[in-house]
Amino acid sequence: MTERALVIGASGGIGAALAEEFARRGYAVAALSRRADGLDLADPASVERVLGATQGPFARVVVATGILAPEGGRPEKSLAQIDAAAMARVFAVNAIGPALILRRLPRLLPRDAPAVAAVLTARVGSIGDNRLGGWYSYRASKAAANQIVHTAAIELARSHRQAALVALHPGTVDTPFTAAYRGRDKLPPAEAARRLAEVMDGLAPAQSGGFFDYAGRPIPW
């Protein structure tokens, strides 16, 4: 039987590349997005409707969603730029949204077979690795997402002993998401997707709850 993969956020640059990469690897891919399915991570009813209608099991699940700032805004460079409404929006999409998706994860994974699920977070969500400051909402929301993943992995291990749930840093990928920010080392989406898929292939249940980069290296919390 062909194994299945679920990509949530498949209309984004990394999500679309991941859907293509999983298909290339022989998975039957189910792709969910706001554009195609009306999945709005800031709307709990939308998440409930779309995920509730999604039938597993999936050997691979990736949550490839997120925003740097609300539409028309930019990440804060200083404390003086913090805005409560903007911060709430970033948390709704980057932390609460993935939590609502993970609420459905046990039903989407097989109970008696290996499976790997990943939430794409970001290295800047690492407290231990923070040397530059700034980007308050984005950093804090990704740190929150990391904690949600780690906590969910503890619970998941009680019922899905062959599964791994992790947070993954995809690197800086050359997509519209990062278009406004300079960087000489941006990865093409296809290359980022290939690396992430390889990392997922190499994960074991003992690594569930971890935070890894696109080369499979652990990142400090």
Side-chain angles (χ1 to χ4, degrees):
M1 180 181 295
T2 301
E3 290 190 319
R4 302 172 69 210
L6 174 64
V7 179
I8 300 167
S11 62
I14 301 177
L18 279 165
E20 292 177 4
E21 177 64 21
F22 285 130
R24 189 184 69 79
R25 290 168 177 260
Y27 289 89
V29 178
L32 301 177
S33 69
R34 182 172 184 172
R35 185 179 304 164
D37 306 284
L39 178 61
D40 181 357
L41 267 64
D43 178 4
S46 165
V47 177
E48 185 72 12
R49 174 181 58 80
V50 176
L51 269 295
T54 302
Q55 299 298 317
F58 297 97
R60 296 287 184 271
V61 176
V62 181
V63 181
T65 57
I67 58 172
L68 286 170
E71 187 174 353
R74 296 174 68 88
E76 314 94 337
K77 292 184 177 180
S78 68
L79 285 167
Q81 293 179 345
I82 290 176
D83 175 81
M87 180 173 275
R89 173 67 180 174
V90 174
F91 266 79
V93 176
N94 290 353
I96 299 173
L100 293 174
I101 291 170
L102 293 182
R103 179 183 174 197
R104 287 280 184 176
L105 186 64
R107 185 180 62 79
L108 297 174
L109 297 179
R111 284 182 174 269
D112 55 356
V116 178
V119 176
L120 301 192
T121 63
R123 184 181 294 275
V124 297
S126 166
I127 296 172
D129 192 58
N130 186 352
R131 301 287 186 270
L132 298 176
W135 290 37
Y136 288 90
S137 297
Y138 187 70
R139 285 185 186 275
S141 67
K142 291 300 187 178
N146 286 343
Q147 179 69 286
I148 290 165
V149 168
H150 185 77
T151 304
I154 294 171
E155 180 176 345
L156 186 68
R158 298 173 186 148
S159 57
H160 294 68
R161 297 183 180 275
Q162 298 185 61
L165 168 62
V166 299
L168 291 182
H169 166 61
T172 303
V173 184
D174 190 10
T175 68
F177 187 86
T178 63
Y181 301 93
R182 296 179 180 177
R184 292 177 296 177
D185 301 318
K186 291 184 180 179
L187 292 169
E191 175 66 12
R194 182 187 66 79
R195 294 185 182 189
L196 291 171
E198 288 181 353
V199 171
M200 293 180 73
D201 285 347
L203 291 172
Q207 295 164 292
S208 191
F211 181 21
F212 303 96
D213 70 9
Y214 55 84
R217 295 170 298 213
I219 299 175
W221 297 111

